[in-house]
Amino acid sequence: MDRDVFTVLVVCQGNVNRSALGAVLLERWAHWYLPKRAAEHVRVTSAGLGAPVGSTMGRRAKVIAEALGADGSRHRAAQITEGHIRVADLVLVSSSRQRNSVLALVPGALTRTFTIREAGRVAAAMPEWPAPRSLAELRARVLAIADSRVAGDRGDDDIVDPQGKDDEAYRQMAREEVPPLAELAGALFGMPRAEIAAYREAVATAQYVFPPADATAPVRTQGRQG
């Protein structure tokens, strides 16, 4: 690992919807909530276990990202490698099966690999910390989350894979993914509780209007601007 960079790796199957959305949100939140000096050394990446390499973010995931204040226009799908996992300080996956797949590649990543929903559950029970001021503090918080795992936890860890499904599946993806990511951003980056609650409410009530495949539509953004 590069000790001068804190790296988050977000993983799903195709790296065009779930992990793409997670990565752009975490990247945005790191720059919103962390002190500038710390944010400059945080890198958020994403990859897929079976990625269509070079593909852009799915158009409906991109609408959701933009509605939440993030920019998915530069995203390009990448295939996961052992190297991605080995350099990551934190690995977030979209399902229990994907966690097993990641650990089959790099068993030593166990203490820093979580499903998004598992990490969110644990983070929600952590103390409300201010934003960390160093990478050492960030790494300590990942260890604290790992230490607070509940052995045998059978929580519902999977986020729906919306690929090939209707618009409602994408809304469900957002409802399942964004709240735990926001809880994690609270524990890692210092996102205030009020803003975590605002994101939870935003995805619970949103009725995203998705453009057809050959069109784009303006979106209204939710969250801090900057």
Side-chain angles (χ1 to χ4, degrees), residues 92-95 114-124 153 155-160 172-173 175-181 183:
L92 299 169
V93 300
S94 301
S95 72
F114 306 81
T115 67
I116 290 169
R117 297 180 82 175
E118 175 193 25
R121 281 197 306 276
V122 178
D153 183 358
D156 184 3
D157 277 355
D158 295 356
I159 296 168
V160 64
Q172 181 181 349
M173 175 190 72
R175 291 192 294 267
E176 293 177 352
E177 180 172 7
V178 174
L181 282 174
E183 293 286 0

Side-chain angles (χ1 to χ4, degrees), residues 38-171:
E40 289 173 346
H41 294 275
V42 172
R43 181 170 179 250
V44 183
T45 64
S46 64
L49 292 159
V53 175
S55 294
T56 59
M57 182 185 286
R59 60 186 173 83
R60 288 174 285 195
K62 185 171 178 287
V63 165
I64 295 169
E66 291 175 353
L68 296 171
D71 178 10
S73 63
R74 293 173 295 171
H75 174 81
R76 297 296 180 270
Q79 178 65 27
I80 197 169
T81 66
E82 288 187 25
H84 286 126
I85 302 166
R86 292 188 187 282
V87 302
D89 294 278
L90 174 63
V91 183
L92 299 169
V93 300
S94 301
S95 72
S96 298
R97 179 175 293 182
Q98 290 166 10
R99 178 178 54 202
N100 294 339
S101 296
V102 165
L103 295 177
L105 290 171
V106 183
L110 176 62
T111 58
R112 49 195 168 87
T113 301
F114 306 81
T115 67
I116 290 169
R117 297 180 82 175
E118 175 193 25
R121 281 197 306 276
V122 178
M126 304 297 284
E128 185 173 3
W129 290 318
R133 304 197 67 83
S134 70
L135 300 189
E137 282 188 70
L138 269 173
R139 293 188 175 103
R141 292 186 187 188
V142 172
L143 287 175
I145 292 170
D147 288 344
S148 298
R149 278 174 157 160
V150 177
D153 183 358
R154 295 292 185 234
D156 184 3
D157 277 355
D158 295 356
I159 296 168
V160 64
D161 183 355
Q163 186 67 30
K165 298 183 175 70
D166 62 10
D167 288 355
E168 181 55 29
Y170 286 82
R171 299 185 185 101

Side-chain angles (χ1 to χ4, degrees), residues 13-42:
Q13 184 62 29
N15 192 213
V16 293
N17 292 308
R18 293 171 292 179
S19 60
L21 175 64
V24 297
L25 287 175
L26 288 174
E27 181 179 43
R28 175 62 72 185
W29 293 340
H31 285 274
W32 277 349
Y33 299 109
L34 287 173
K36 183 178 180 181
R37 182 170 295 181
E40 289 173 346
H41 294 275
V42 172

Side-chain angles (χ1 to χ4, degrees), residues 59 211-217:
R59 60 186 173 83
D214 60 350
T216 58

